[in-house]
Amino acid sequence: MWSNIFKTIVLFTLIGCVHPTFGQENLDEVLSSGIKTVVIDPGHGGKDPGCHGGITNEKTVVLAIGLKLGEYIKSKYPEIEVIFTRDSDEFIELDRRAKIANDNHADVFISIHANAASAAAYGTETYVLGLHRTESQQEVAERENSTILFEENSAEKYKDFELSPDAIIARQLQLNVFLNQSISLASKIQAQFKAINRRDRGVKQAGFLVLYKTTMPSVLIETGFLTNPGEEKFLNDPVNQIKMANTIFKAFQEYVAEIDGVNTLVENGKGYEASIEEIKAQEGEEKVILKEEENKVYFKIQIETSREKLSLNDKRFKNVSVSEYQQDGLFKYTAGLFENDFETADKYKKEMRALGFEHAFVVGFMNGKRIPIAEAIKLAKK
């Protein structure tokens, strides 16, 4: 085996992929000057939907989470350049995703995915490049790597590429300088998921092609199982998509603080701060902070009205994440948050009615204030 590893390393060296200090200069620069560029990689897209459950698919969920994560990083760290491998429903080849990160000299690569297994499987896990230790870890990597089946000429393109144990070990030796940073970020992400009562399935290793080809600290996040009806419902909820993005962002803040040598950076235990209004949904003591930008139209689903203030965990909300606003002396409660998208909000309204909120209806907001729905629809079309 070791002779094969040696041959692999020699091969990479001969073609100019590595040298004795492979990656060290990049890491030294990051450690001395901080993080300058982050690449966020929402998995799948376009003709590749990824895994799916009964009501949604992977490409849709992870794009929403990835875009929000990027928004939070841009707002908190304007000096950090945020690059997306995709920011729309577009198919991006796996090797191109890694090339985007490498060509832009990214300091961190964050790939976001959703998982699939039995209906009983649930929880989050974050991967770094390495050898899988269980059959399930191998299956996750194989499923995510199967994106190449959607690529043109994939057989020719990857004919000399093999994620064998020898090749992965050789690549780990090359990228060893980044491994500790990858594990550190992955551990912080999992700790933050655990803090919001998501099941922590741990930091794991597997042979993901996209991690194999990136040359910087890199992680691949599995945000939950769309094959589990409860988790699919959770991840399909725009409020929870924002919650997941905010949670990953908290971990990113901790990672930035670690690189910068700062002890604590997450202020008051929070992640992103809303600039106009804080809409808080509570799960235990956890607060989810959503951002509504100025002069943009948002649609929400009003599901409850009360003369008295209700706990956001009140059983009448049936475990749906809600936010509160006041109008005409009444407390009103909404679910979902849809920017310039009345059609999706209207579909979500039907889901809320199916859950038992028979009188649910769509309301429009701008600049933190409710506006007539007809006006909201008109403004959203502009």
Side-chain angles (χ1 to χ4, degrees):
M1 181 182 75
W2 286 106
S3 62
N4 290 335
I5 295 172
F6 177 76
K7 290 176 183 177
T8 306
I9 295 175
V10 170
L11 174 61
F12 279 125
T13 304
L14 289 174
I15 63 176
C17 289
V18 299
H19 52 78
T21 57
F22 179 80
Q24 186 64 53
E25 293 179 2
N26 280 352
L27 183 59
D28 289 344
E29 182 179 352
V30 171
L31 293 176
S32 63
S33 60
I35 295 172
K36 297 178 181 177
T37 305
V38 176
V39 169
I40 297 174
D41 173 44
H44 307 277
K47 58 186 177 182
D48 174 16
C51 68
H52 61 85
I55 57 176
T56 191
N57 56 42
E58 183 175 3
K59 69 174 184 177
T60 303
V61 167
V62 301
L63 179 61
I65 295 173
L67 291 178
K68 275 297 177 184
L69 173 61
E71 179 183 309
Y72 296 161
I73 294 174
K74 288 178 182 178
S75 180
K76 181 70 177 183
Y77 304 102
E79 72 279 10
I80 294 179
E81 182 180 11
V82 177
I83 298 171
F84 296 97
T85 57
R86 69 179 183 99
D87 57 9
S88 62
D89 186 17
E90 178 185 4
F91 177 73
I92 306 294
E93 297 177 343
L94 279 182
D95 61 341
R96 183 180 162 199
R97 294 170 190 266
K99 190 174 189 299
I100 290 170
N102 295 338
D103 288 353
N104 285 281
H105 306 289
D107 302 308
V108 183
F109 179 81
I110 302 174
S111 190
I112 303 174
H113 292 259
N115 222 332
S118 70
Y122 70 102
T124 64
E125 51 196 30
T126 302
Y127 283 86
V128 299
L129 179 67
L131 295 177
H132 62 269
R133 297 182 180 179
T134 67
E135 185 177 338
S136 64
Q137 291 171 20
Q138 180 183 14
E139 289 173 352
V140 172
E142 289 177 349
R143 182 175 57 76
E144 300 298 3
N145 291 341
S146 67
T147 289
I148 65 174
L149 299 177
F150 292 90
E151 299 181 17
E152 296 181 3
N153 301 319
S154 61
E156 178 67 21
K157 185 193 302 184
Y158 296 102
K159 67 178 181 179
D160 297 324
F161 187 81
E162 181 183 0
L163 282 171
S164 65
D166 288 355
I168 291 174
I169 292 173
R171 188 60 168 167
Q172 277 189 305
L173 292 174
Q174 298 165 35
L175 299 177
N176 184 61
V177 68
F178 300 127
L179 183 59
N180 287 340
Q181 279 65 42
S182 299
I183 293 174
S184 174
L185 176 56
S187 299
K188 289 173 172 54
I189 291 169
Q190 285 303 121
Q192 288 293 341
F193 283 145
K194 186 176 181 179
I196 62 167
N197 298 319
R198 299 282 282 130
R199 184 191 178 195
D200 174 18
R201 295 172 62 94
V203 175
K204 300 180 178 180
Q205 298 184 8
F208 291 93
L209 192 152
V210 74
L211 297 183
Y212 187 100
K213 290 207 165 193
T214 50
T215 54
M216 71 283 303
S218 303
V219 297
L220 186 146
I221 305 167
E222 294 286 358
T223 55
F225 288 80
L226 295 184
T227 46
N228 179 308
E231 289 223 317
E232 181 186 24
K233 178 181 174 182
F234 176 89
L235 290 172
N236 190 51
D237 187 335
V239 172
N240 291 328
Q241 292 167 358
I242 292 172
K243 181 175 186 176
M244 294 294 284
N246 190 51
T247 302
I248 299 169
F249 176 65
K250 289 180 184 180
F252 178 78
Q253 287 187 94
E254 292 181 345
Y255 180 74
V256 171
E258 181 177 82
I259 295 295
D260 291 344
V262 179
N263 290 328
T264 55
L265 187 66
V266 181
E267 301 169 359
N268 301 322
K270 296 179 180 179
Y272 179 76
E273 294 284 351
S275 60
I276 299 176
E277 130 181 79
E278 290 185 355
I279 307 172
K280 301 173 182 178
Q282 294 182 341
E283 182 176 330
E285 296 180 354
E286 173 65 17
K287 294 180 178 179
V288 182
I289 304 173
L290 316 183
K291 178 188 177 187
E292 294 184 34
E293 297 180 6
E294 292 184 5
N295 301 320
K296 287 189 176 182
V297 177
Y298 295 89
F299 296 99
K300 310 175 188 180
I301 314 305
Q302 186 161 313
I303 61 174
E304 187 67 70
T305 300
S306 174
R307 294 187 179 277
E308 299 180 354
K309 185 179 181 69
L310 301 176
S311 166
L312 299 185
N313 287 321
D314 193 292
K315 62 182 180 181
R316 73 187 71 184
F317 296 132
K318 304 177 182 179
N319 294 321
V320 173
S321 296
V322 298
S323 58
E324 176 192 282
Y325 75 99
Q326 296 182 46
Q327 185 184 51
D328 302 325
L330 299 172
F331 295 92
K332 301 184 178 182
Y333 298 88
T334 63
L337 183 68
F338 303 86
E339 180 182 320
N340 290 331
D341 192 348
F342 174 78
E343 290 185 3
T344 303
D346 193 51
K347 292 179 181 177
Y348 193 59
K349 173 199 72 179
K350 295 175 183 176
E351 292 182 24
M352 291 297 99
R353 288 184 175 179
L355 280 177
F357 301 104
E358 297 178 2
H359 304 293
F361 61 97
V362 181
V363 290
F365 282 80
M366 175 178 270
N367 296 330
K369 296 181 179 180
R370 181 175 166 181
I371 60 176
I373 192 64
E375 179 183 351
I377 294 173
K378 182 177 180 181
L379 290 171
K381 291 179 178 180
K382 290 186 178 180

